[in-house]
Amino acid sequence: KQRIRMLENAQELYKTSDPFASAATKTQARLLQIQRKCEIDFKVSFVDLSINQTLAKLIKYGHTDRASRLRKEFQVPEKRFCHIQVKTLAKEQDWSGLAALASTRRAPSIGYEPFIEACIENKAITEAVKYISKLSYSNEKMEWFCSIHCYGEAAEVAHADRNLDALRQISSRAKTKPIVKARIDDMIKELTGR
């Protein structure tokens, strides 16, 4: 409470000399009030976190509605909020929450790449595959599949596109997986008629 009073006093001092500093101080005081309330409500430390860290912590503990209200109050852009949600849910390995976020709209405002990156960063390759499959462009799908060594899936995409060059590249990258490489080579033979 003393810090809040000090911030409010500083805001009053800045009002005439520096309107930007006054507004920033007011915002900081409001954030501190909200963080104190969160600490009381959830019995977890929130004070001295940035707005992004506060949002992430609320999401981490399943308080997405409260995080959404806070996002609106502090005018956090929708895309940044979506990135925070994706990173937090993936870090917590809340794959069902991540899937729900991805399906809230026809396509998320940030695209599927951040979902893929977050899954890979948290070593959830099977989860990443789900989002790679949702990408619009075949070349993006193939690149992502190859980056996580899912050469069979990349080859399926190339085969569906009848992309012989891509199949050859994927085959050369799949040398460490002989069974998959043989399947890809069969696809190449099928497309070339040999």
Side-chain angles (χ1 to χ4, degrees):
K1 289 187 180 194
Q2 185 180 1
R3 279 178 66 186
I4 293 171
R5 266 191 247 114
M6 288 173 62
L7 285 168
E8 288 169 347
N9 290 339
Q11 179 199 350
E12 286 300 317
L13 291 172
Y14 285 133
K15 239 180 199 174
T16 56
S17 64
D18 190 349
F20 175 77
S22 175
T25 306
K26 181 180 180 181
T27 302
Q28 184 60 40
R30 179 68 183 133
L31 179 59
L32 188 56
Q33 288 174 331
I34 290 168
Q35 289 172 334
R36 288 201 190 279
K37 176 128 177 56
C38 287
E39 284 186 352
I40 292 165
D41 293 349
F42 308 126
K43 310 288 188 262
V44 179
S45 175
F46 278 91
V47 171
D48 291 331
L49 297 178
S50 69
I51 184 65
N52 289 357
Q53 291 168 326
T54 302
L55 292 169
K57 201 162 199 177
L58 286 168
I59 294 163
K60 174 182 177 176
Y61 290 108
H63 304 291
T64 308
D65 291 342
R66 197 159 186 178
S68 286
R69 289 193 307 272
L70 191 62
R71 177 199 80 78
K72 288 176 187 160
E73 181 175 341
F74 285 85
Q75 299 175 350
V76 174
E78 177 67 31
K79 286 185 178 186
R80 185 186 327 158
F81 183 61
C82 198
H83 278 283
I84 292 168
Q85 286 179 295
V86 168
K87 287 180 181 180
T88 302
L89 292 170
K91 186 177 180 182
E92 294 303 311
Q93 299 187 355
D94 182 354
W95 306 123
S96 60
L98 195 62
L101 178 63
S103 64
T104 54
R105 295 178 201 94
R106 204 173 111 198
S109 61
I110 58 173
Y112 290 107
E113 287 85 358
F115 289 79
I116 298 165
E117 291 165 356
C119 290
I120 293 170
E121 188 176 303
N122 290 282
K123 297 174 182 27
I125 302 306
T126 55
E127 294 297 323
V129 168
K130 295 175 188 176
Y131 301 106
I132 294 170
S133 299
K134 294 179 182 225
L135 293 171
S136 300
Y137 301 106
S138 298
N139 60 337
E140 289 178 341
K141 289 181 186 181
M142 289 183 280
E143 281 299 317
W144 277 109
F145 280 133
C146 286
S147 75
I148 58 173
H149 308 288
C150 291
Y151 302 115
E153 289 85 344
E156 293 294 334
V157 173
H159 186 256
D161 278 0
R162 305 188 63 75
N163 188 335
L164 199 53
D165 291 335
L167 276 171
R168 287 184 178 130
Q169 283 182 338
I170 296 165
S171 176
S172 70
R173 291 174 81 174
K175 289 178 183 173
T176 58
K177 297 186 175 190
I179 295 170
V180 175
K181 185 173 177 3
R183 198 172 91 220
I184 296 169
D185 291 341
D186 288 343
M187 290 178 188
I188 291 169
K189 288 176 188 172
E190 178 190 319
L191 289 180
T192 57
R194 294 181 194 168

